[in-house]
Amino acid sequence: MSIALKQVFNKDKTFRPKRRFEPGTQRFELHKRAQASLSSGLDLRAAVKLPQGEDLNDWVAVHVVDFFNRINLIYGTVCEFCTEKSCPVMSGGPRYEYRWQDEHKYKKPTPLPAPQYMNLLMDWIEMQINNEDIFPTSIESEVL
């Protein structure tokens, strides 16, 4: 593998582990259905339509996790081109600057280099996805 590819696929720097659904669970079956519909070239509106008899929250959760995994993959391929030196600000073009704020270190909106902002953002999203109160993964969690 070339050095450039090794840098892109360095899991410690660019990729986060995919959130997986436990085989045999309802969410696993929904994930399989979503994957099949998205890769079949169907109308996007029909692909994301709630299947009859399925729970809306489960369907949304499956798509949120899948979207997060896809964004991670895309970000992993471009992050080496955006360093703290080349991307000193997280921006959306010349008119928009994104600032980070959280409950811990950054109490006020703070400008950050794009790579640092993205790492904090991806960590925050992953924490939300892994939060059982927001995305329960078992029937016991859903009942409580």
Side-chain angles (χ1 to χ4, degrees):
M1 185 180 291
S2 73
I3 292 174
L5 279 178
K6 284 182 182 176
Q7 289 173 345
V8 169
F9 292 107
N10 182 342
K11 68 179 180 173
D12 296 328
K13 291 186 177 186
T14 59
F15 290 103
R16 300 178 194 292
K18 276 189 162 189
R19 173 99 189 268
R20 301 203 185 277
F21 299 103
E22 200 65 38
T25 64
Q26 181 182 13
R27 288 211 178 150
F28 180 77
E29 295 305 315
L30 287 172
H31 174 70
K32 285 190 341 189
R33 189 180 298 174
Q35 288 299 102
S37 64
L38 288 173
S39 61
S40 67
L42 293 176
D43 174 31
L44 186 58
R45 203 176 286 243
V48 297
K49 183 177 178 185
L50 177 66
Q52 186 175 2
E54 298 298 343
D55 180 71
L56 176 63
N57 291 327
D58 285 336
W59 189 241
V60 169
V62 165
H63 284 284
V64 166
V65 171
D66 189 51
F67 183 71
F68 175 70
N69 289 335
R70 290 171 192 261
I71 292 297
N72 263 326
L73 188 62
I74 292 167
Y75 178 63
T77 62
V78 299
C79 68
E80 73 177 276
F81 303 105
C82 185
T83 65
E84 290 192 12
K85 186 176 181 180
S86 65
C87 302
V89 174
M90 181 65 187
S91 67
R95 294 181 53 200
Y96 299 99
E97 178 180 312
Y98 297 96
R99 296 177 178 210
W100 185 259
Q101 181 178 1
D102 59 28
E103 298 171 355
H104 309 289
K105 185 176 177 182
Y106 302 96
K107 303 289 184 190
K108 295 182 180 182
T110 307
L112 295 172
Q116 187 178 355
Y117 182 96
M118 286 302 299
N119 283 332
L120 288 167
L121 178 63
M122 296 307 242
D123 287 344
W124 182 84
I125 294 169
E126 190 170 22
M127 280 182 12
Q128 304 311 303
I129 288 173
N130 290 329
N131 182 336
E132 286 283 327
D133 293 332
I134 300 171
F135 292 99
T137 56
S138 65
I139 293 171
E140 296 84 34
S141 299
E142 293 172 17
V143 172
L144 296 176

